[in-house]
């Protein structure tokens, strides 16, 4: 089969959503001919550079994927776009809240951002109906979409993580609290500023217990102003900020860290602004796969990652986060035990489970 993938976020964005996008594409490329459609304003001479950039970001071989120019994007002609889709057996579309008419034999829409949108008018509803399957990246996204979009999500296909590559061969945890996420201050900001303030509070209130502990923040920079704000707040504290870390070094940091913090959505109400929550939270699963104990905010997709057995590790307020973190720091044996439990929980989101869902949506009926 000929399968084409299109995301309005390519080629500008490099995050968890793009990792998910290419994971699905590479899964289908095992058996089918797969194309990555880029918008009409992209030059053909730039295709190889874009492909190379995503290979470097993902640390994956994308040679089985064909990058092509499409009639999608700003100012695209509606009819041209519709007839172009008829060339393919399957269209896989990552929506930003919009839709289009597809003439492919099977059309799959993936929703990764839980946007609050006005109820669709009849014209928009018609476009959505051309998609055989609508899936989401989390139960959280599904709940928001079905409430506000007026469409049914047929399948939840959570991201797949190669959990085995993060598993430490030797369990030797250090006094490290870790966070991994891009430095930017829009939409679902990773709130590194919040984490710095939390860490400062721990140091000031519990100097003896916090001796030797450090906070490590890892992430690419999308906003220089924001990362500079984080650096200013962290000055003089045992906080390390790393903006250029290769994949193997990232794995090593996961394996060394004892605790994983996550604060996306701290300032926001998940009912009023669900798009500002973590839609799922790939980095949390990666950390858990390496035996990090996840002390993460109890909002968005983070709660379904923890599940019932680890739900007691989630928090909403600063006081709750500090209390739960301190309890773990004061009990290294318990910290290690929970790390093993977290690793076991992370394996529920492995690549095998993900690929099974990917193949399922090629066969399932609406």
């Amino acid at each position: 089969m000929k399968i084409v993938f299109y995301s309005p976020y390519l080629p500008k964005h490099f995050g968890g959503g793009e990792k998910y996008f290419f994971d699905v594409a590479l899964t289908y490329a095992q058996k089918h001919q797969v194309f990555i459609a880029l918008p009409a304003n992209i030059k053909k001479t730039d295709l190889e550079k874009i492909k190379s950039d995503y290979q470097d970001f993902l640390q994956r071989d994308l040679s089985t994927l064909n990058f092509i120019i499409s009639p999608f994007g700003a100012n695209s002609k509606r009819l041209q776009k519709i007839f172009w889709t008829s060339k393919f057996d399957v269209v896989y579309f990552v929506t930003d809240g919009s839709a289009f008419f597809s003439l492919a034999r099977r059309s799959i829409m993936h929703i990764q951002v839980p946007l609050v949108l006005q109820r669709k008018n009849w014209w928009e509803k018609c476009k959505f109906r051309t998609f055989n399957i609508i899936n989401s990246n989390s139960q959280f996204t599904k709940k928001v979409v079905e409430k506000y979009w007026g469409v049914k999500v047929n399948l939840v296909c959570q991201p797949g993580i190669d959990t085995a590559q993060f598993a430490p061969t030797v369990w030797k945890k250090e006094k490290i609290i870790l966070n991994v996420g891009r430095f930017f201050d829009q939409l679902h900001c990773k709130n590194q500023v919040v984490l710095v303030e939390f860490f400062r509070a721990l140091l000031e209130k519990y100097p003896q217990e916090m001796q030797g502990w450090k906070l490590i923040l890892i992430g690419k920079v999308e906003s220089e102003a924001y990362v500079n704000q984080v650096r200013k707040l962290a000055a003089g504290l045992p906080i390390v900020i790393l903006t250029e870390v290769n994949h193997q070094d990232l794995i090593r940091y996961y394996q060394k860290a004892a605790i994983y913090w996550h604060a996306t959505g701290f300032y926001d109400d998940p009912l009023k602004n669900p798009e500002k929550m973590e839609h799922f939270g790939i980095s949390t699963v990666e950390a858990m796969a390496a035996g990090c104990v996840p002390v993460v905010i109890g909002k968005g997709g983070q709660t379904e990652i923890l599940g019932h057995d680890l739900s007691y590790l989630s928090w909403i307020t600063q006081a709750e986060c500090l209390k739960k973190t301190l309890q773990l720091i004061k009990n290294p044996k318990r910290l290690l035990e929970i790390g093993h439990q977290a690793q076991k929980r992370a394996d529920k989101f492995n690549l095998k489970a993900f690929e099974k869902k990917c193949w399922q949506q090629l066969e399932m009926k609406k």
Side-chain angles (χ1 to χ4, degrees), residues 14 19 66 71 81 125 187 216 249 267 280 292 297 323:
F14 293 79
K19 178 186 180 303
N66 305 286
K81 187 161 54 177
K125 286 181 178 179
L187 200 58
I216 297 181
D249 285 341
Y267 292 114
F280 178 69
C292 289
I297 194 163
K323 180 181 178 181

Side-chain angles (χ1 to χ4, degrees), residues 250-265:
L250 175 61
I251 290 175
R252 282 190 279 271
Y253 278 110
Y254 277 134
Q255 292 173 342
K256 290 191 296 183
I259 296 171
Y260 190 77
W261 272 1
H262 204 300
T264 299

Side-chain angles (χ1 to χ4, degrees), residues 327-343:
Q327 287 173 341
L328 293 167
I329 286 172
K330 292 167 71 173
N331 192 342
K333 184 179 178 181
R334 179 64 175 149
L335 183 62
L336 195 61
E337 288 174 356
I338 300 173
H340 283 285
Q341 292 172 12
Q343 186 184 48

Side-chain angles (χ1 to χ4, degrees), residues 79-308:
L79 286 177
Q80 184 184 7
K81 187 161 54 177
I82 292 172
F83 286 112
W84 189 80
T85 63
S86 67
K87 299 177 181 179
F88 302 94
D89 299 292
V90 180
V91 167
Y92 187 102
F93 170 53
V94 177
T95 182
D96 54 1
S98 63
F100 54 83
F101 287 101
S102 171
L103 293 180
R105 268 198 315 116
R106 173 167 289 261
S107 300
I108 301 170
M109 177 184 288
H110 174 64
I111 305 173
Q112 61 182 230
V113 182
L115 296 169
V116 175
L117 300 177
Q118 292 183 346
R119 299 281 182 181
K120 301 289 181 185
N121 60 37
W122 69 271
W123 180 248
E124 289 296 313
K125 286 181 178 179
C126 287
K127 288 192 284 186
F128 271 80
R129 287 195 186 105
T130 68
F131 286 83
N132 306 86
I133 299 298
I134 297 178
N135 71 48
S136 68
N137 58 351
S138 67
Q139 293 289 345
F140 172 67
T141 300
K142 170 184 167 71
K143 185 177 179 180
V144 173
V145 166
E146 290 190 335
K147 180 179 179 180
Y148 292 104
W149 293 31
V151 300
K152 178 177 175 56
V153 175
N154 311 99
L155 180 74
V156 173
C157 185
Q158 293 153 326
I161 290 86
D162 184 3
T163 51
Q165 71 172 312
F166 296 99
T169 52
V170 178
W171 282 71
K172 191 177 180 181
K173 293 296 184 180
E174 299 179 17
K175 292 184 174 182
I176 295 172
I177 299 174
L178 179 67
N179 172 263
V180 177
R182 292 167 290 159
F183 289 91
F184 63 99
D185 54 1
Q186 74 276 17
L187 200 58
H188 58 304
C189 171
K190 306 305 178 182
N191 281 334
Q192 289 93 338
V193 164
V194 170
L195 301 181
V196 170
E197 294 294 352
F198 281 17
F199 193 69
R200 182 193 297 276
L202 276 176
L203 294 171
E204 291 175 351
K205 293 181 180 180
Y206 311 102
Q208 187 173 346
E209 291 86 346
M210 292 301 295
Q211 262 191 343
W213 280 86
K214 59 185 174 182
L215 173 65
I216 297 181
L217 304 174
I218 297 176
K220 290 189 175 294
V221 177
E222 291 191 9
S223 168
E224 287 289 347
Y226 183 72
V227 76
N228 288 336
Q229 181 187 1
V230 177
R231 287 192 179 110
K232 185 176 179 180
L233 288 170
L237 300 176
I239 296 176
V240 180
I241 298 171
L242 302 171
T243 59
E244 294 293 335
V245 175
N246 65 42
H247 189 66
Q248 288 305 313
D249 285 341
L250 175 61
I251 290 175
R252 282 190 279 271
Y253 278 110
Y254 277 134
Q255 292 173 342
K256 290 191 296 183
I259 296 171
Y260 190 77
W261 272 1
H262 204 300
T264 299
F266 177 67
Y267 292 114
D268 300 289
D269 184 337
L271 296 178
K272 295 179 180 178
N273 300 108
E275 74 282 1
K276 293 186 178 182
M277 305 301 112
E278 191 63 72
H279 313 149
F280 178 69
I282 291 173
S283 66
T284 299
V285 179
E286 291 176 343
M288 289 165 58
C292 289
V293 175
V295 183
V296 299
I297 194 163
K299 297 180 180 181
Q302 296 289 284
T303 57
E304 63 194 81
I305 290 173
L306 296 184
H308 175 73

